[in-house]
Amino acid sequence: MKRIFYPLAMATLLGFFGILYYYQREPVREIDERAASIFNGMGWLEAMAFIGEQWMIFAASFLLLVFLWAFRHDYRGMLFVFLTVGAGNALNQLLQQWFARPMPGFPEEMAAYSFPSDHAMVGLLYLFTLAYFLGERAGTKTIRLSIWLAAALLTMLTALSQVASGAHYLSDVLAGLCLGYTLFVLVAIWYEMRERHFRKRTSVRSAEREDIVER
């Protein structure tokens, strides 16, 4: 990943904590209500929610795991998927239970929680993970850019579909996007550091073998 994305991850982490601090205060509630009135009733946007459904996330992640295992033997890449999609989903569920913010229109006793939005957070994680590995195989920068733009657009549509359907507040969605992006970049940094270390170690071993052969 380009290093310009690293400080953005720090900004999104701060953004998440900022939303966490203010989301129950009146100014944010007013913004949530205004956003709900703007997006509510957009049927085409509400229909985009299927992109972030659990079955879609599972299917896409499973196919990516099969691809990484069968065609690339990239076991660190498989761990990448588990850390972003799997751990990200678990973290999201934990946070929802921890903050216990009722979903819009749901009474607290129904135990349906909304902060941060799972569609926004896990949707970003699996779409960006797909874009990351598909972009690696792209032949040109134009194709790579198109893949990332498509992932970003689908992520935004998935996130806003939750506001349109009334399932989440806008603050839930923004918190999910911020935290999801931060987690994605952290995993990508780990993965790229391990890949550089592996390539360096392989290069050293190759040089040592060549030196032994020459002797």
Side-chain angles (χ1 to χ4, degrees):
M1 293 182 66
K2 294 184 180 296
R3 293 187 178 181
I4 190 175
F5 294 116
Y6 299 163
L8 180 57
M10 180 60 69
T12 53
L13 180 61
L14 293 175
F16 169 77
F17 283 111
I19 296 169
L20 176 61
Y21 183 76
Y22 287 105
Y23 80 95
Q24 291 183 320
R25 302 195 177 191
E26 190 61 31
V28 175
R29 290 181 180 178
E30 292 178 0
I31 294 173
D32 284 337
E33 291 174 1
R34 192 174 305 168
S37 65
I38 292 173
F39 293 107
N40 188 28
M42 293 186 179
W44 66 270
L45 183 57
E46 186 176 346
M48 294 296 103
F50 81 93
I51 301 172
E53 295 291 342
Q54 289 293 323
W55 66 267
M56 176 65 81
I57 295 172
F58 176 82
S61 301
F62 178 76
L63 291 174
L64 179 57
L65 287 170
V66 171
F67 168 75
L68 293 170
W69 172 68
F71 297 99
R72 294 182 57 181
H73 305 293
D74 187 355
Y75 302 110
R76 277 182 295 276
M78 295 174 68
L79 183 55
F80 187 115
V81 179
F82 282 117
L83 289 174
T84 53
V85 182
N89 185 64
L91 176 62
N92 177 267
Q93 296 301 313
L94 179 64
L95 291 175
Q96 285 191 357
Q97 294 295 322
W98 180 269
F99 297 117
R101 184 188 196 186
M103 296 177 70
F106 279 69
E108 292 190 21
E109 58 268 18
M110 293 187 68
Y113 302 132
S114 68
F115 185 89
S117 166
D118 50 345
H119 273 67
M121 180 175 171
V122 188
L124 181 147
L125 284 166
Y126 98 90
L127 288 168
F128 276 35
T129 300
L130 284 172
Y132 184 89
F133 287 103
L134 291 176
E136 281 189 335
R137 312 296 289 183
T140 65
K141 289 184 178 180
T142 302
I143 296 176
R144 190 179 304 116
L145 179 60
S146 298
I147 290 172
W148 277 104
L149 287 176
L153 177 61
L154 290 174
T155 297
M156 292 305 300
L157 290 175
T158 304
L160 292 176
S161 72
Q162 299 304 286
V163 181
S165 66
H168 288 277
Y169 299 102
L170 180 63
S171 53
D172 299 331
V173 165
L174 293 178
L177 292 174
C178 286
L179 190 57
Y181 181 79
T182 299
L183 177 58
F184 171 79
V185 172
L186 289 174
V187 176
I189 290 173
W190 164 81
Y191 176 77
E192 292 177 0
M193 288 177 61
R194 295 300 301 168
E195 285 294 291
R196 284 194 296 269
H197 176 72
F198 177 76
R199 286 195 296 267
K200 182 179 179 180
R201 187 172 58 184
T202 302
S203 177
V204 170
R205 287 180 178 177
S206 298
E208 289 176 349
R209 283 195 295 267
E210 290 176 1
D211 184 57
I212 292 173
V213 170
E214 289 178 359
R215 291 178 183 178

